[in-house]
């Protein structure tokens, strides 16, 4: 029997009992769509977790800080004595770890930026300029820092909104994302200083500042220029100002000379003990945990956003298994329906099977006919079920997604149901296999029928 004859006969047999075939296919549709919808909800939750965490920073970046506690290192050796000076040597060692693409130390201090009567209290972070591209500093306007930049700055997107009128009676900071910046940071003249009171409205009776019995020196003003603005959307960059780390180190050391002993501890001595922290960029997100463990073995504290992501992934995976199991029960019921349909078909076609054997049909051809019919039921049910699942997914994302955004921010374009390509292909193959497996027993039973007894059956 040719394959074309087999297909024609199989399709004719399926359409012979249209209602029964329809109900059997409907069972597969329900089972398939149940699995797809349930798994897509878990997958959508997992992607939502990932998108929310990405807002806090890159998943490929490890934050490193000195370890001030003791603890046990590799082999049970105490690391309390080497609880980490984060100096240039340590930075170099981290850059040699396999999988690391970039490392930069970070210096951070508080300063004030003034333009005319407006001022802003900012956090300045020193960074190696050449690493900005690796650490995903996406520039919206202007450029990023380059080697040789001295008093040039790159600002986070929300920093221009923090400038306030220093002469106003109530000059407290009030953030309004819809307000227009009072200062054009890219073009206006800007001064930067460590003096947090510079430009503020002074009380009527102000004399020389006396501290420790000595007159305190006036803070120096630095003329700075903003060369770039960072795109909004990243909470770890939106509120910070960045400059060349080597230039910032000079400013901090120069400022320390003008401070009291207490302030020298804050501005000057921290450099004798290395950097405040460092950032390590890993090429592959799957290697982040491995690199992080190696950094901890060096005696430093290390954490990354993948720590939170791994915990969320476990929660999402558990939920996917539960939801997928519920859908699998529906498909199991559908598989039993296919088996029942094919067995009923054998009883109705016993004489036909006997005639086929008498005229010389091979046992393999009879088996292929039944497997083709059961496989077609599974495939057609899978295709229709997948289409129905896609429709349900669109409805959920349109209405339920809007409800979630109403209850709380879930991110732009957030979806609670996502059907990836691999899931669609898997379901089609799985539904077809379920049909074939369900038809295997009826096919074997049809092959074992006696030809003479089948012919005598009315």
């Amino acid at each position: 029997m040719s394959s074309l004859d087999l297909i024609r006969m199989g399709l004719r047999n399926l359409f012979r009992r249209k209602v029964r075939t329809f109900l059997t296919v409907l069972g597969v549709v329900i089972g398939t769509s149940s699995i797809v919808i349930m798994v897509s909800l878990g997958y959508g939750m997992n992607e939502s977790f990932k998108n929310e965490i990405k807002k806090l920073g890159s998943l490929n970046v490890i934050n490193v800080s000195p370890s001030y506690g003791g603890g046990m290192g590799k082999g049970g050796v105490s690391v309390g004595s080497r609880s980490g000076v984060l100096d240039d040597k340590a930075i170099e060692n981290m850059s040699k770890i396999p999988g690391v693409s970039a490392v930069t130390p970070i210096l951070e201090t508080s300063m004030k930026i003034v333009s005319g009567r407006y001022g802003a209290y900012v956090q300045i972070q020193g960074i190696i300029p050449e690493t900005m591209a690796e650490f995903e500093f996406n520039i919206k306007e202007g450029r990023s820092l380059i080697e040789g930049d001295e008093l040039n700055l790159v600002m986070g997107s929300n920093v221009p909104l923090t400038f306030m009128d220093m002469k106003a009676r109530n000059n407290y900071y009030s953030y309004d994302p819809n307000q227009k910046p009072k200062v054009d940071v890219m073009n206006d003249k800007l001064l930067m200083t460590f003096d947090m009171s510079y430009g503020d409205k002074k009380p009527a009776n102000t004399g020389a500042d006396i501290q420790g019995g000595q007159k305190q020196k006036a803070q120096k003003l630095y003329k700075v220029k903003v060369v770039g603005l960072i795109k909004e959307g990243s909470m770890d960059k939106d509120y910070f100002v960045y400059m060349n780390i080597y230039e910032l180190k000079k400013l901090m050391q120069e400022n320390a000379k003008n401070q009291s002993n207490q302030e020298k501890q804050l501005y000057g001595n921290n450099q004798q003990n290395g950097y405040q922290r460092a950032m390590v960029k890993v090429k592959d997100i799957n290697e982040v945990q491995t690199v992080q463990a190696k950094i901890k073995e060096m005696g430093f504290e290390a954490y990354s956003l993948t720590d939170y992501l791994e915990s969320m992934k476990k929660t999402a995976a558990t939920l996917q298994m539960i939801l997928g199991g519920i859908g699998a029960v529906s498909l199991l019921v559908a598989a039993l329906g296919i088996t029942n349909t094919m067995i009923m078909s054998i009883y109705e076609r016993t004489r036909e099977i006997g005639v086929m054997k008498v005229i010389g049909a091979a046992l393999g051809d009879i088996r292929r006919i039944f497997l083709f019919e059961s496989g077609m039921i599974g495939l057609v049910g899978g295709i229709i079920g997948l289409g129905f699942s896609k429709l349900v997914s669109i409805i959920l994302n349109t209405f339920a997604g809007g409800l979630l955004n109403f209850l709380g921010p879930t991110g732009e374009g957030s979806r609670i149901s996502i059907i990836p390509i691999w899931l669609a292909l898997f379901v089609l193959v799985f539904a077809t296999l379920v049909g074939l497996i369900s038809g295997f027993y009826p096919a074997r039973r049809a092959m074992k029928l006696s030809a003479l007894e089948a012919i005598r059956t009315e």
Side-chain angles (χ1 to χ4, degrees), residues 334-347:
L336 296 176
I338 295 175
T339 303
N340 179 67
T341 297
M342 300 311 298
I343 291 176
M344 291 297 296
S345 180
I346 292 174
Y347 287 124

Side-chain angles (χ1 to χ4, degrees), residues 229-248:
L229 288 174
I230 301 173
K231 289 182 180 178
E232 62 276 359
S234 181
M235 296 178 63
D236 64 329
K237 299 182 180 72
D238 286 348
Y239 293 92
F240 292 93
V241 178
Y242 300 89
M243 69 180 299
N244 189 323
I245 188 172
Y246 306 112
E247 183 66 18
L248 181 60

Side-chain angles (χ1 to χ4, degrees), residues 62-84:
I62 300 173
N63 289 284
V64 183
S65 60
S67 176
Y68 299 104
M72 303 302 292
K74 196 172 184 179
V77 180
S78 172
V79 298
S81 59
R82 60 184 179 98
S83 50

Side-chain angles (χ1 to χ4, degrees), residues 297-343:
E297 290 177 4
M298 296 169 63
F300 300 102
E301 296 291 337
Y303 71 93
S304 63
L305 293 177
T306 56
D307 295 338
Y308 307 103
L309 182 61
E310 289 301 317
S311 175
M312 292 180 175
K313 277 185 175 180
K314 290 179 181 179
T315 302
T318 302
L319 183 61
Q320 278 183 314
M321 290 180 62
I322 295 173
L323 295 178
I326 295 173
V329 171
S330 300
L331 193 57
L332 176 62
V333 174
L336 296 176
I338 295 175
T339 303
N340 179 67
T341 297
M342 300 311 298
I343 291 176

